[in-house]
Amino acid sequence: MTSPAKIAAPPDGSAFFAGKPLGEIEWLGTARVRALEKFGITTVLDLLTHLPHRHEDRRQFDSFPRDESPKAVCVCGIVAKTNSRWFGGGRKMFDVVLQEENGHALSGTLICRWFNAHYVQKKIAVGQKLIIYGKPKRVGKQIVIDHPEFEEVDPEADGQQGEHQTPHLRRITPIHPATAGISARDLRGWIYRLLAETSSLAASVLLGPLPAGLATMRHFDALRAMHFPESWETLNAAKRELILGEFFEMQLVIASRRAEATAQPGQAHCGSGALLTAFQGQLPFPLTGAQSRVIDEIRHDLAASRPMNRMLHGDVGSGKTVVALSAMLLAVEAGAQAALMAPTQILAEQHYLNFKRWLEPLGVRIALRTGSRQEESAPLPLFGGSSEDAAPQIIVGTHALLYGEEFERLGLAVIDEQHKFGVLQRAALLRGAVAPDVLVMTATPIPRTLTMTLYGDLDVSMLDELPAGRGKIVTAARDESKLPDAVAFIKKHLDVGRQAYVVYPLIDESAKTEAKAAAAEFEKWQKQFAPHRCELLHGRVAPEEKDAIMERFRRNESQVLIATTVIEVGIDVANANIMLIENAERFGLAQLHQLRGRIGRGSHKSYCILIHAADTPEGLEKMQTMEATSNGFEIAEADLRLRGPGDLLGTAQSGLPPLKIGDPIADADLMRLARQAATELFATDPELAAPENRRFRSLLAARRQVTLAT
Ligand code: ADP
Ligand code: MG
């Protein structure tokens, strides 16, 4: 086996060049190196992979615009006049008259304006040649571009007559994201020079090129073309290559996780189903088709000796708990222990109470383990074996379970609302000699196209059907002036016996301010809803008190629960059919959807009132989306549109490499290719799957490919 230490640098030593700190590049100089560092760019490779966000075709500039256009233009002209003047409120406007250079004759003008941009004024002077990029609009008789991007053409460096090559002109020119003190022109020049000085092999090793079957060009050539393409076609091909590279690396990590999980020896944990049948027989409702299907999928996994590694994906209210419990009962019947982990104390408690109610009559021993409470049920000894055998069969808890409890025969671990946990904790479960079966459940609406990225290391089951007989949820977004109407509306429903949630955002999470803000909130609402009883729930309420509050709300001893997002996940009280969310614009779409999932659980029609002060197009779209749909997947798509995939992927939290240029939605077909290639690599080369190779795995893969290619 190749040990990591044996990964050799290419013979010319240039791998060291690509990985070099920029400080060692003499011609850059300390000041620039420091500025780049502030920008998060510290090595040669960082700079080489600082990719342009767009390109300008400077082989042929656009002619000066004669009218406004929604499309940006890129023109080149001579500064004929500059002017700066004050206008209302101490603000300053700087404008430049640019003249078109048509052969040798001057024709056509364009006005460029900057407001309160002192630095621009210092940079532009009459007689300069400027490249301008921006959207033209008509102001009176003139054509104007406000705040265009601009760059001076330096006649010395850029070679007026085109007698020498320059990175800046007469080509499809990259525009790199710039920052204070570093212009796009600076970056372009430095990257141009570095590309010339870096050996292709060196960069390829560090970038991790693609398996031969996927690659259409040498990886380093793709990087070069991404900055300085010869044609738009080359640019597209280069982009594809780099995206594939990025996706491939991500899929390698995912494939390695999968390989690691399945390489562990497992055990079959599946009973005959007698206990399951007894349980389902006493449920007050029939299972949905989706629930039955998913239980079958899980049963299949449990009966196999390889460890189950499955994700159950179902929108809020789709009935994941019953599925989880069914799986647990199959494991229990096979003589194993089953554990369920919930992200919050409140939720663990709720699961425990439900399980106790459903399972005590069947003689199953259940235990609750949270940071502050340990409790054991005392069932009739029917199925549970002899009563001396006191070990609990089902253990419900918070994540404290992962670290504290020594399970004797843990056969199945269920992780509820897995997005609240992250990856590391899931891994902690898998440390024993025999891996338990693992089922992770989530309601985070993730577009289907993303599941193979985020959860590519898991098998996925979908609960894509809500139980019948659910009341409809009507959602209304209203501005703050409508709050009194909303309160009156809620009171009407309280008067006929319903319950309500009021959710307010947490502005400051320090203990002191939270308690104070909460007290103020409480005062305000208690007055409005009197004589109905309000209770207050937030992160700083002591755990036992939280349980007591939830219990009273469940029993309808209190009618309004005033809460922060601690109620976001899992809470299930069917009689509560109204939710009012204050400052709704401060929550994300996914979070609003989760919150709203607390209602619409009984047969009554439910109402979600979003009181908001949204004043941006995004904020308003968020509110409209909530009003228009309660379908988790539609919400997820809208969320993706509004926030981009970065947030949703949460790569930092998921432990996956960040994506610099690929978009897992737009480039889903490339993701599929990358996934296939990564899976194949692991199938044909199990050595790569060894855990000790973890950090070097992608490098190893890369090196193999380089060896093949050279
Ligand atoms: P989630 O998927 O959000 O975790 P839960 O498991 O909390 O959903 O289920 C929501 C509610 O629906 C619970 O009160 C549960 O008892 C009920 N439920 C589950 N399955 C069904 C079903 N097949 N028919 C009717 N109600 C169901
Ligand atoms: Mg749930």
Side-chain angles (χ1 to χ4, degrees):
M1 188 163 63
T2 324
S3 84
K6 284 197 199 123
I7 297 178
D12 61 356
S14 46
F16 295 117
F17 181 75
K20 232 183 197 174
L22 287 171
E24 291 173 29
I25 309 296
E26 271 168 31
W27 53 260
L28 259 178
T30 358
R32 291 148 150 193
V33 169
R34 214 164 284 141
L36 282 166
E37 261 166 23
K38 269 198 211 137
F39 200 25
I41 297 176
T42 61
T43 65
V44 170
L45 190 69
D46 287 345
L47 194 46
L48 288 180
T49 54
H50 183 66
L51 301 177
H53 57 91
R54 63 181 179 86
H55 287 80
E56 282 176 5
D57 196 340
R58 295 188 183 171
R59 294 171 302 187
Q60 177 83 61
F61 289 107
D62 292 323
S63 55
F64 271 37
R66 308 280 173 231
D67 209 338
E68 51 183 47
S69 102
K71 237 188 91 206
V73 296
C74 181
V75 300
C76 185
I78 307 286
V79 177
K81 219 187 322 177
T82 68
N83 177 36
S84 104
R85 62 193 158 88
W86 296 95
F87 66 105
R91 290 174 302 168
K92 203 169 191 183
M93 182 168 87
F94 177 60
D95 62 41
V96 167
V97 178
L98 204 67
Q99 216 140 26
E100 189 162 24
E101 204 189 16
N102 234 346
H104 291 288
L106 292 175
S107 67
T109 57
L110 175 70
I111 315 285
C112 299
R113 305 191 298 191
W114 286 268
F115 301 88
N116 293 319
H118 192 59
Y119 66 97
V120 175
Q121 192 175 339
K122 284 198 287 193
K123 281 191 162 177
I124 296 182
V126 172
Q128 273 176 347
K129 190 169 177 181
L130 290 186
I131 298 168
I132 291 286
Y133 178 86
K135 278 184 209 163
K137 64 176 182 186
R138 180 175 283 284
V139 177
K141 280 192 185 140
Q142 292 171 320
I143 301 300
V144 172
I145 302 184
D146 282 335
H147 285 268
E149 285 182 38
F150 71 99
E151 186 175 317
E152 191 197 347
V153 176
D154 177 347
E156 302 256 302
D158 297 340
Q160 279 286 48
Q161 310 309 323
E163 74 276 15
H164 73 256
Q165 279 248 330
T166 154
H168 308 294
L169 280 182
R170 292 180 296 280
R171 65 166 70 248
I172 298 175
T173 309
I175 310 295
H176 296 90
T179 180
I182 306 176
S183 69
R185 186 186 160 94
D186 292 337
L187 286 163
R188 188 185 310 130
W190 303 338
I191 290 170
Y192 189 74
R193 185 155 175 193
L194 277 180
L195 279 170
E197 291 175 6
T198 312
S199 115
S200 118
L201 182 64
S204 293
V205 167
L206 283 159
L207 287 168
L210 295 168
L214 280 188
T216 53
M217 53 167 72
R218 291 277 299 262
H219 209 65
F220 185 72
D221 296 339
L223 184 64
R224 189 195 301 278
M226 190 66 204
H227 291 288
F228 297 101
E230 258 139 42
S231 67
W232 294 109
E233 291 73 40
T234 329
L235 178 62
N236 286 337
K239 200 164 171 191
R240 177 185 187 275
E241 175 80 14
L242 293 180
I243 292 175
L244 266 174
E246 196 172 69
F247 286 177
F248 180 64
E249 202 174 303
M250 176 180 256
Q251 291 295 344
L252 268 184
V253 175
I254 290 171
S256 77
R257 278 188 196 159
R258 172 186 274 270
E260 213 167 289
T262 47
Q264 258 179 309
Q267 251 167 19
H269 309 105
C270 190
S272 69
L275 189 52
L276 180 59
T277 310
F279 160 64
Q280 289 176 353
Q282 51 137 34
L283 277 177
F285 45 74
L287 295 185
T288 63
Q291 281 171 320
S292 306
R293 192 193 69 236
V294 169
I295 291 170
D296 278 348
E297 287 166 6
I298 294 171
R299 190 171 188 161
H300 201 259
D301 281 2
L302 290 174
S305 60
R306 77 174 179 95
M308 171 166 81
N309 204 10
R310 186 170 283 276
M311 143 140 311
L312 171 55
H313 196 130
D315 209 346
V316 279
S318 57
K320 293 185 288 295
T321 318
V322 167
V323 173
L325 192 50
S326 302
M328 294 167 92
L329 289 174
L330 285 168
V332 163
E333 205 193 343
Q337 284 177 310
L340 179 122
M341 258 145 283
T344 63
Q345 164 116 17
I346 294 178
L347 204 48
E349 187 88 18
Q350 177 184 285
H351 283 319
Y352 175 69
L353 291 175
N354 279 334
F355 290 6
K356 223 163 78 159
R357 192 172 43 154
W358 285 329
L359 299 183
E360 258 177 4
L362 301 178
V364 179
R365 293 184 303 278
I366 313 161
L368 175 70
R369 301 268 188 276
T370 67
S372 62
R373 256 185 83 183
Q374 319 267 303
E375 191 180 310
E376 232 109 309
S377 72
L380 311 165
L382 291 179
F383 279 87
S386 69
S387 48
E388 300 91 74
D389 179 8
Q393 294 160 299
I394 287 183
I395 302 160
V396 181
T398 50
H399 65 267
L401 253 189
L402 274 177
Y403 303 105
E405 187 87 11
E406 283 306 313
F407 297 102
E408 269 169 53
R409 354 173 262 278
L410 181 65
L412 169 65
V414 181
I415 303 176
D416 194 14
E417 312 290 353
Q418 107 102 24
H419 58 286
K420 298 268 157 186
F421 283 103
V423 221
L424 293 177
Q425 285 154 315
R426 195 180 86 215
L429 267 177
L430 301 172
R431 71 199 149 178
V434 174
D437 288 319
V438 176
L439 178 69
V440 300
M441 310 200 290
T442 184
T444 309
I446 300 164
R448 278 159 224 262
T449 30
L450 270 187
T451 45
M452 89 179 142
T453 307
L454 258 187
Y455 300 112
D457 55 335
L458 303 170
D459 297 308
V460 177
S461 286
M462 285 280 194
L463 271 187
D464 48 10
E465 183 185 347
L466 290 181
R470 289 279 164 82
K472 214 172 119 55
I473 303 182
V474 177
T475 300
R478 296 283 182 267
D479 71 60
E480 288 158 307
S481 66
K482 295 289 187 325
L483 189 58
D485 297 349
V487 169
F489 179 83
I490 296 174
K491 265 184 93 170
K492 217 174 65 196
H493 285 267
L494 297 177
D495 290 342
V496 297
R498 300 285 84 72
Q499 289 166 280
Y501 299 97
V502 171
V503 182
Y504 67 95
L506 200 52
I507 295 151
D508 182 335
E509 293 195 35
S510 74
K512 227 170 157 183
T513 35
E514 179 170 354
K516 215 170 120 202
E521 285 287 326
F522 184 70
E523 192 107 325
K524 171 173 118 196
W525 294 108
Q526 174 73 70
K527 242 183 245 152
Q528 311 215 43
F529 291 124
H532 302 289
R533 249 197 87 164
C534 296
E535 290 225 63
L536 183 64
L537 194 64
H538 57 84
R540 307 279 162 183
V541 174
E544 315 78 61
E545 184 54 20
K546 265 185 203 160
D547 296 341
I549 292 172
M550 274 319 299
E551 191 51 30
R552 286 195 290 271
F553 188 65
R554 251 180 234 122
R555 293 206 189 120
N556 199 0
E557 290 166 15
S558 65
Q559 287 70 46
V560 185
L561 196 61
I562 298 165
T564 58
T565 52
V566 294
I567 61 154
E568 182 186 336
V569 289
I571 303 286
D572 184 40
V573 178
N575 189 47
N577 70 328
I578 303 189
M579 174 171 285
L580 182 140
I581 303 180
E582 264 208 304
N583 293 109
E585 77 281 358
R586 296 194 195 177
F587 297 100
L589 259 183
Q591 203 173 18
L592 288 172
H593 178 66
Q594 286 282 326
L595 284 167
R596 184 174 56 181
R598 298 314 107 219
I599 58 172
R601 295 183 159 244
S603 53
H604 299 288
K605 191 170 172 181
S606 293
Y607 302 90
C608 178
I609 306 167
L610 305 170
I611 298 291
H612 69 96
D615 54 2
T616 61
E618 292 79 34
L620 290 169
E621 185 179 342
K622 211 155 69 175
M623 295 304 129
Q624 278 156 11
T625 305
M626 286 299 291
E627 282 184 322
T629 179
S630 49
N631 177 309
F633 288 105
E634 284 173 26
I635 301 234
E637 300 284 351
D639 206 18
L640 203 63
R641 249 195 339 268
L642 290 172
R643 293 193 302 166
D647 268 13
L648 248 187
L649 272 173
T651 46
Q653 190 223 358
S654 63
L656 297 173
L659 295 175
K660 273 190 162 179
I661 74 170
D663 174 338
I665 305 297
D667 310 315
D669 53 331
L670 298 184
M671 184 66 89
R672 228 164 274 131
L673 279 178
R675 176 159 158 76
Q676 213 172 7
T679 314
E680 267 162 30
L681 182 64
F682 269 79
T684 52
D685 197 348
E687 197 182 279
L688 279 176
E692 62 270 25
N693 274 341
R694 184 170 207 132
R695 271 181 51 217
F696 294 93
R697 209 170 283 139
S698 59
L699 274 180
L700 276 174
R703 182 171 152 66
R704 250 161 247 263
Q705 294 311 325
V706 169
T707 330
L708 285 179
T710 46

